[in-house]
Amino acid sequence: MTDVTSEKKARSGRPTATAVARAQNPRGQGRRLREDLINAASNLLATAGDPDQVSMRAVARAAGVSPMAAYRHFADRDELLAAALDSCFMEFAKLFETTADIEDPFDRLGAVGRAYFEFANDENGHYRVLFSQPMPFDKSDFNILESHSGSAFVQLITLVQACLDANDDPRDATYVSYQVWTWVHGMVDLRITHAALAWPPAEQMLADLQTSLGLVRHS
Amino acid sequence: MTDVTSEKKARSGRPTATAVARAQNPRGQGRRLREDLINAASNLLATAGDPDQVSMRAVARAAGVSPMAAYRHFADRDELLAAALDSCFMEFAKLFETTADIEDPFDRLGAVGRAYFEFANDENGHYRVLFSQPMPFDKSDFNILESHSGSAFVQLITLVQACLDANDDPRDATYVSYQVWTWVHGMVDLRITHAALAWPPAEQMLADLQTSLGLVRHS
DNA sequence: TGTACATCAGTGAACGCGCGTTCACTGATGTAC
DNA sequence: TGTACATCAGTGAACGCGCGTTCACTGATGTAC
C-alpha cells in the first residue's frame, strides 16, 4: 500500500522565527537580553506547546540575536527553557489574583474556573506546556510543583475550603480540590487536543461541575 | 547567573532501539515486515508518548532492518506513524470488549472506568499518544475521531444511556458522557504528567465520579 | 532437466537539514593613570 | 586632557549529531521455456 500521493511536507511543526533588527544593549544592560530571550522562548512555547520543539537557535532568531548570545545568560538549553517555563507559571499564577476582589467563595470559584478555562483557550500553548506533558526539567520539576503550581493548588484548596465551610460541608478540601482540578483539566485539555469534536458550551460544563461537586451554596 | 554546574546530558529523551538480528522474509511474506514496523513504532510510541520523537530510523533499528526497508511499505514517515496510531487505537478499543459480559450498566461503567485508568497507567505512552496531544496527522485525524475513538465514545454514550434509563433519568446521555470522559481524562492525564503529587487513590476518585455524576442506581 | 530471467525483500552510501555547543574573535565603552 | 587597558555585549565559523529521503544496488527465489 505504498501508492500514496500525499505531497511532501516539512516534517515537524517546529516554530520558526524571523530575525528582528536589534541594537546592542548599552553596557551594564546586558540583562535585558536575558529577558528578551525568556520572552521569545515563552512565545515559541505558546505556539509550539512542546518544549522539545523550541530550539536555542529559534529563540535566538526570535530575539534577533546570534545563537551564541544566549550562552552569556544561560548555561545551556535546559536552563533557558526552565526560565521560560518559570515565566509561563508566573503568568498563570495571575489567575487567582484577578479574582481576588470577589468575596463570595462560590462566585469566586466560578470565576477562577472560567479564568482557568480562558487561559487554556487563549494561551493554549502555554497551558499545555505547564500542565499537559511530563515536566521535562528535573530540577525545575521540584521547584514548579512546590512553588508555582503548588502555590496555585494551595490557593485552590483554600478557596474550596471556604466553600465547604460556608455550607457546613465536612468533606476534605484537598480531596475535593483534586476533583475540581482533574475535571477542569480534562475539559480544557480534551478540548484543545480534540478540537474537532462537538463540545458542549464551556460555561455549562463549568457550572455543572460546581453543582455536581456540591460547590454551590445550599439554599 | 550562568554559573551553573549542571552536568551535560543528551538533549532529548528520544528513544533508542538496539538492532535485532532478523532474517529476510521469504518471498510473498514481505508484509510481515510491515507489521513488524508497526509494532516497533507502536512500542516506541509507548515509551516516548510523543510521535515527534519516533523517527523512521529508530523504528527501522528496532525492527532490525535498514532505514530504507520501511519505504517498501510506507510512503513516508507520516504514513507509518498513522498506521502505528491506528494500531494503538485498536488496542484501546478492546477496553469496552473486556467488560462486555457485565450486565448491570452501573457496574459496567465502573469497570470501564477502571479499565480506562489501568490502560492509561500501564501503557501511558500509548494513552498520551492517543489522547494527550493534538492529533498530528491531518488525514488520520478525521479517521480516528470518526472511527476509533469516535466509536469508543459512541459506546460510552450507549452505556451512559443505559444507566440513565435504569434510573428514569432524563438527562442527555451525550452531555453526561462528555462529563464522564473529561473527568476521567483529567484524572489519568494529570496523574501521568504530575506524578510527583500526592494523589488520592484512583478507585476512590473513580467511584466518587460515578456518584457525583448521578451514575449509580437509585436506591 | 537446465537455464535465463523477472520478481521480490532488503541494503548502503550519500544528500542537505537544523540542531546544541565549542572556540576564538570583534568592536564599543567606561575607567585608571 | 589624553591614552592605555579592562570590561562588556555580542558575533561567526566550525564540529559532530540524527534526521527524512534519494538513488542505485544486491542477492535470493520462483517460473517460463
Side-chain angles (χ1 to χ4, degrees), chain B residues 63-135:
Chain B
V65 116
S66 92
M68 290 322 305
Y71 287 89
R72 296 203 132 274
H73 299 281
F74 303 96
D76 55 19
R77 182 173 167 277
D78 278 6
E79 203 174 293
L80 200 179
L81 282 169
L85 260 189
D86 262 31
S87 128
C88 292
F89 256 116
M90 303 300 275
E91 194 190 344
F92 170 75
K94 292 179 194 160
L95 286 191
F96 281 89
E97 293 171 20
T98 60
T99 63
D101 55 331
I102 303 176
E103 288 205 1
D104 182 86
F106 303 99
D107 290 350
R108 191 174 174 208
L109 186 60
V112 167
R114 286 186 297 274
Y116 191 102
F117 181 87
E118 274 163 31
F119 177 82
N121 234 39
D122 300 347
E123 315 272 353
N124 74 59
H126 281 169
Y127 183 81
R128 293 191 57 69
V129 164
L130 298 181
F131 296 112
S132 295
Q133 49 193 349
M135 290 284 119

Side-chain angles (χ1 to χ4, degrees), chain A residues 14 24 27 54-58 61 67-68 71 76-77:
Chain A
R14 202 182 284 279
Q24 181 165 324
R27 270 186 94 138
V54 174
S55 72
M56 237 24 191
R57 294 174 108 109
R61 219 146 44 221
M68 290 321 305
Y71 287 89
D76 56 20
R77 183 173 166 277

